[in-house]
Amino acid sequence: MTSRPAVKALLAVLVCLLAACSTGERVDLGDESSGNLIAAIAGEPDQLDPHRTSAYFSFEVLENVFDTLVEPDENLHMRPALAESWEVSGDQLTWTFHLREGVTWHDGSPLTADDVVYSYRRIIDEQLTNVDKFSAVTDVSAPDPATVRITVKHPTPNLLTNLGGFKGMAIVQRSNVESGQIATHPIGTGPFSFAGRKSGDSITLKANPNYWDGAPGVSGVTFRFISEPSTALSALQAGEIDWTDSVPPQRVAQLRDDDSLTLAVTPSNDYWYLALNEARQPWNDVRVRQAIAYAIDRDAISAATSYRTAMTNQLAIPEGNPWYTRYDRYRYDLDEARRLLDEAGADPQNLDMLVTSEYPETVTAAQIIADNLAPLGITVNIRTVDFATWLDEQNTGNFDMLMMGWLGNIDPDDFYYAQHHSNGTSNAQKFSDPEVDRLLDAGRVETDTAKRKDVYTKAATRIADEVSYIYLYNPSVIQAWANNLSGYDARRDGAIRFRGAELNAGGAE
């Protein structure tokens, strides 16, 4: 995801359209990419250690290199992966997982239960990015080479989602970690193995012929880094790439009628939000945060950033999801915003808004927000930085407001705990509310689905009432690929899986 399309990129699109570009003919790149599926992603991974990275671009690649103990299917129900079966004790405090036979690492060495224990202990002991997923875990052990036992301190209905919801919980190889090579040359058990990297250009994977779920249908995958969506689309239409998720949303309506490629616009569980830094005045006053929530025009932001491919929402979980809660308190109302500011005795003059050029949605939205808040006498100073700097500024609390998205959510705990619990690992806005903490803690142990739904309805409503986040919209997963690519599906969780993909001869003419 990148800055706005350049004139050069737009000209390339026009040239391609005038020439009636077709995806039917592949371009031989003359290197190790030849014969591979060529996928264009919008940015370069920061590193390839799944336990340490938090970059979506990294996980697009790592989805194809690593496995988890269990994994979500296309309906986001958890299914066997490296564990072929499991059972839970009667008191729901002991989970026993049975590993598949014959699984090997990309270097040919066998996978054992000790690898699983090492992977989980690494996250726990080193307090890595996803340590929160193990908050209920009291012990991880390997009673034999094919069995993993996990003990929890209380019933944990979302344990499977925590273990397999995304590749940040991948099973890693001890020697690959201890050699220091995992960040640059990862070794996994997944359908593709790491083959090479050209800094600033591409990462290449090759098919794993011994993959436990069957050898992939393509010889390999090359991920090219194409920052401009218009350039990526041009490359697809010209036959230079086979797949991209960097599709200009303003082109979606036109592309629906383009028979030369396959377009997928899939409703997702992702969400985009604004967060005000509650460690700073006056944003620590809930009335001031509510005033900003009333002053934001969500419809305008969604239209400008997604060209109406997204659905506006005032909570995190989208309509159609079984955990959805209806909430529509914050209509666009400047009079109410002024009233709340007056009631709080607040008169903010400036707002420092942190955005990143690598997610152009944030830049576009910031410009609209600046217009929204101007009538309140607030000048929005838009600070555009690269994503690495954005992360640093977020983590150090150097912002008044920021915008970002949460991707790949499945269980309701994924949408709320890390972001809004007082002890949440991603609570950069420093929100703290005892009632929200109580509800989110309760949701983690409630095994009755109906009761759990009620808990999260209350929690979500209070989070919005107290304006921990100002929720904006749920985007769609937008991807496009050549007509001769089969066996691939766009997923609601945004996971990019090429294990079943095939490139057939010919294609669109």
Side-chain angles (χ1 to χ4, degrees):
M1 300 181 183
T2 65
S3 57
R4 303 307 296 165
V7 173
K8 188 174 181 180
L10 293 173
L11 289 175
V13 173
L14 292 173
V15 169
C16 184
L17 291 173
L18 291 172
C21 292
S22 165
T23 56
E25 220 174 298
R26 285 298 308 279
V27 174
D28 188 344
L29 300 178
D31 55 21
E32 73 273 13
S33 299
S34 296
N36 282 4
L37 187 159
I38 310 298
I41 59 177
E44 182 169 6
D46 63 338
Q47 61 161 302
L48 298 175
D49 181 344
H51 293 172
R52 292 190 181 278
T53 185
S54 60
Y56 178 65
F57 305 133
S58 295
F59 287 118
E60 290 188 276
V61 175
L62 298 178
E63 180 71 37
N64 299 279
V65 175
F66 287 98
D67 289 312
T68 44
L69 205 58
V70 293
E71 66 181 11
D73 65 14
E74 63 276 7
N75 296 314
L76 306 188
H77 299 142
M78 303 312 292
R79 70 176 187 185
L82 291 179
E84 63 180 354
S85 64
W86 57 87
E87 61 263 1
V88 188
S89 61
D91 61 6
Q92 297 198 39
L93 299 182
T94 303
W95 295 65
T96 304
F97 296 87
H98 305 283
L99 301 185
R100 295 181 185 276
E101 293 183 5
V103 177
T104 59
W105 295 97
H106 293 148
D107 64 4
S109 58
L111 171 79
T112 70
D114 286 339
D115 293 309
V116 180
V117 175
Y118 171 77
S119 298
Y120 292 165
R121 290 304 327 176
R122 181 190 185 217
I123 295 173
I124 295 168
D125 295 343
E126 297 184 30
Q127 293 286 295
L128 300 182
T129 305
N130 299 296
V131 66
D132 180 66
K133 302 292 186 184
F134 292 103
S135 61
V137 173
T138 59
D139 187 57
V140 184
S141 62
D144 62 62
T147 307
V148 175
R149 184 165 295 148
I150 298 178
T151 306
V152 292
K153 58 188 174 184
H154 52 67
T156 309
N158 61 329
L159 182 67
L160 293 179
T161 302
N162 283 347
L163 296 179
F166 80 121
K167 290 302 182 285
M169 297 293 285
I171 306 305
V172 301
Q173 186 189 61
R174 179 194 289 265
S175 60
N176 190 222
V177 174
E178 293 180 343
S179 69
Q181 295 185 33
I182 187 169
T184 57
H185 194 116
I187 295 174
T189 59
F192 297 91
S193 61
F194 180 84
R197 179 173 189 161
K198 293 181 179 179
S199 181
D201 179 77
S202 62
I203 287 176
T204 297
L205 311 179
K206 63 180 179 180
N208 175 10
N210 301 313
Y211 186 52
W212 57 264
D213 199 28
V218 293
S219 61
V221 180
T222 296
F223 290 90
R224 288 180 55 191
F225 317 139
I226 301 179
S227 60
E228 293 289 352
S230 294
T231 305
L233 181 58
S234 291
L236 177 64
Q237 292 174 315
E240 296 172 5
I241 64 171
D242 302 298
W243 174 97
T244 186
D245 65 347
S246 185
V247 179
Q250 63 267 36
R251 297 289 304 282
V252 165
Q254 174 192 3
L255 292 174
R256 290 185 192 277
D257 298 321
D258 188 343
D259 294 333
S260 71
L261 52 80
T262 300
L263 176 72
V265 181
T266 305
S268 78
N269 280 348
D270 305 341
Y271 65 86
W272 287 84
Y273 66 92
L274 300 169
L276 287 161
N277 188 351
E278 298 179 36
R280 293 182 174 183
Q281 294 183 341
W283 320 119
N284 58 336
D285 189 317
V286 65
R287 294 166 296 183
V288 177
R289 299 196 301 273
Q290 289 172 341
I292 302 300
Y294 276 109
I296 297 299
D297 188 343
R298 289 171 179 77
D299 289 335
I301 293 171
S302 176
T305 57
S306 74
Y307 290 81
R308 306 198 184 281
T309 61
M311 181 178 295
T312 56
N313 193 2
Q314 296 189 30
L315 295 182
I317 299 178
E319 190 170 2
N321 184 299
W323 302 96
Y324 170 73
T325 297
R326 184 173 297 281
Y327 183 97
D328 58 3
R329 172 176 180 170
Y330 297 110
R331 63 196 180 279
Y332 178 49
D333 190 338
L334 287 176
D335 289 338
E336 179 65 7
R338 291 188 185 95
R339 187 192 69 78
L340 285 162
L341 288 175
D342 289 343
E343 182 180 309
D347 185 25
Q349 303 292 311
N350 294 283
L351 185 151
D352 168 59
M353 183 161 185
L354 181 66
V355 299
T356 172
S357 56
E358 292 177 53
Y359 288 90
E361 297 93 334
T362 66
V363 179
T364 302
Q367 295 161 349
I368 295 172
I369 291 166
D371 291 339
N372 288 163
L373 299 186
L376 299 180
I378 301 174
T379 299
V380 176
N381 302 305
I382 301 171
R383 187 156 50 97
T384 306
V385 298
D386 61 73
F387 188 54
T389 303
W390 187 97
L391 286 171
D392 288 341
E393 296 288 79
Q394 175 202 235
N395 293 336
T396 57
N398 187 23
F399 66 92
D400 286 332
M401 176 187 277
L402 55 75
M403 176 180 171
M404 193 43 66
W406 268 85
L407 313 177
N409 312 289
I410 299 176
D411 188 85
D413 183 79
D414 300 337
F415 289 86
Y416 296 119
Y417 194 97
Q419 303 92 320
H420 307 290
H421 194 283
S422 295
N423 299 321
T425 55
S426 297
N427 187 347
Q429 73 278 17
K430 305 303 181 186
F431 175 76
S432 183
D433 181 85
E435 178 63 7
V436 168
D437 289 350
R438 184 190 70 77
L439 289 165
L440 294 181
D441 287 335
R444 285 192 153 186
V445 301
E446 179 55 68
T447 58
D448 182 281
T449 301
K451 292 179 180 177
R452 196 164 185 246
K453 172 75 163 61
D454 182 62
V455 166
Y456 281 108
T457 294
K458 292 175 180 176
T461 299
R462 186 162 180 85
I463 286 166
D465 284 347
E466 297 295 305
V467 201
S468 177
Y469 279 178
I470 298 174
Y471 294 101
L472 298 173
Y473 59 86
N474 299 109
S476 292
V477 174
I478 305 175
Q479 300 173 2
W481 57 88
N483 285 337
N484 64 323
L485 172 60
S486 61
Y488 174 84
D489 293 305
R491 296 169 53 91
R492 285 193 293 136
D493 61 355
I496 310 302
R497 291 184 185 172
F498 289 124
R499 64 180 74 169
E502 295 184 8
L503 284 172
N504 308 306
E509 296 297 334

